[in-house]
Amino acid sequence: MITFHNVCKTYEKQHVIKDFSLTIHEGELFVLIGPSGSGKTTTMKMINRLIEPTKGHITIKDNDIATLNPVALRRNIGYVIQQIGLLPHLTIQENVSLVPRLKQMAVEEYHARVQELMRMVALEPSTFAERYPHELSGGQQQRIGVIRALAADPDIILMDEPFSALDPISREQLQDELIRIQQELKKTIVFVTHDMNEALKLADRVGIMQNGHLVQVDAPQQLLAHPANDFVKTFVGNQHNAMLASLLPITQIMQPAHTMYAHQTIKEAQTFMLKHQLDMLIILDRQEIYMGSVTIWAIYQQHYDPETLLQDVIQSTVAVLSHSATIEDLTALLHVQTQPITPVLNRDQRVMGVINSTEAAAYIATL
């Protein structure tokens, strides 16, 4: 989608960006992060030609942007900045519709688009459309800044530290809003920040910069688990353990499940469990849907008739985990339950695998 080909940027013999090569994929939220002066904002501004590279070239969908009209290019790339940049003499509706009007979109079309976007960020048009920027809170203004960048339906959106001036609560709300919007619209977003927590929360991939170079490009969980060098390890900082636990999927430590069907007998279950040295067995119905579990202790303690069906002795109150759960979710569960294994289910309530509690606790201790 967006590719940097050996890009350099020099100011008066000072190399700000050095031999920079990177591909940002279509539909991903890519975060550039690094200390002040590392070149992250310069890199982003070269995408919409607010800054021109000294050497190398940048392509969007294989088109060299140096060959494109810069004004037309910018009208097709959304841009959100920290200062928001709403025009104070225009209403909110006029601010949001500015680029669509410049692109001569039909009035009915851009009017409907503005209303749709305002509702998307919980700003009811009948209440806010005719207000002016000074009549909105900082968080509301920044929401308008985000949807203004979306108004002309661009494929690419650039966001330069858009939430850094907000209070912590508003900032977290806007981050959640951006995640929700991105899940719905799947734009290609390049997001610059100096906040590692924000980067790890938002990004599909993170690019860490130092002195004009890309030091590491990785998904957040890989970045945390495998920092490329001491600089990255230090830059990630103290949030390593907590963030890693919140990002790592439990599927990383999931094991195959031993299952039987509810219409099978206790005698069959005992034989199977002894053969495989199992303390607990996952029970399914005939359609492979999870029903519950049985333990070897429950079978022995109750002295059931060997021909009793498993459906008559199932424990259906055993805690389960979703396949989308994280290590953090598992840690919380281990604090309140003592079962030897925890089933992991997909959206259709089918068993994907199990988590062994003892082995999971040992793994968590290493994070």
Side-chain angles (χ1 to χ4, degrees), residues 75 77-80 92-101 103 105 109-118 120 143-157 185 187:
R75 287 182 181 175
I77 297 176
Y79 192 36
V80 186
I92 297 306
Q93 180 167 270
E94 290 167 337
N95 266 284
V96 176
S97 64
L98 182 60
V99 175
R101 286 186 284 122
K103 295 180 72 173
M105 187 183 289
E109 187 179 351
Y110 75 66
H111 184 73
R113 177 74 173 158
V114 170
Q115 297 224 342
E116 175 192 0
L117 290 169
M118 290 187 70
M120 184 182 288
R143 281 180 165 82
I144 296 301
V146 171
I147 64 171
R148 182 178 60 179
L150 293 165
D153 198 23
D155 293 330
I156 297 168
I157 300 170
L185 300 181
K187 298 295 183 180

Side-chain angles (χ1 to χ4, degrees), residues 148-183:
R148 182 178 60 179
L150 293 165
D153 198 23
D155 293 330
I156 297 168
I157 300 170
L158 309 180
M159 307 186 79
D160 190 4
E161 304 210 40
F163 309 145
S164 60
L166 299 175
D167 63 89
I169 293 175
S170 296
R171 184 171 188 164
E172 185 171 354
Q173 289 174 342
L174 264 293
Q175 290 167 353
D176 293 341
E177 201 74 49
L178 179 61
I179 292 169
R180 185 185 61 77
I181 290 171
Q182 176 64 353
Q183 288 173 342

Side-chain angles (χ1 to χ4, degrees), residues 109-138:
E109 187 179 351
Y110 75 66
H111 184 73
R113 177 74 173 158
V114 170
Q115 297 224 342
E116 175 192 0
L117 290 169
M118 290 187 70
R119 291 192 178 99
M120 184 182 288
V121 292
L123 292 173
E124 176 55 43
S126 61
T127 303
F128 294 97
E130 298 305 319
R131 292 189 185 181
Y132 288 86
H134 72 272
E135 298 178 287
L136 273 59
S137 69

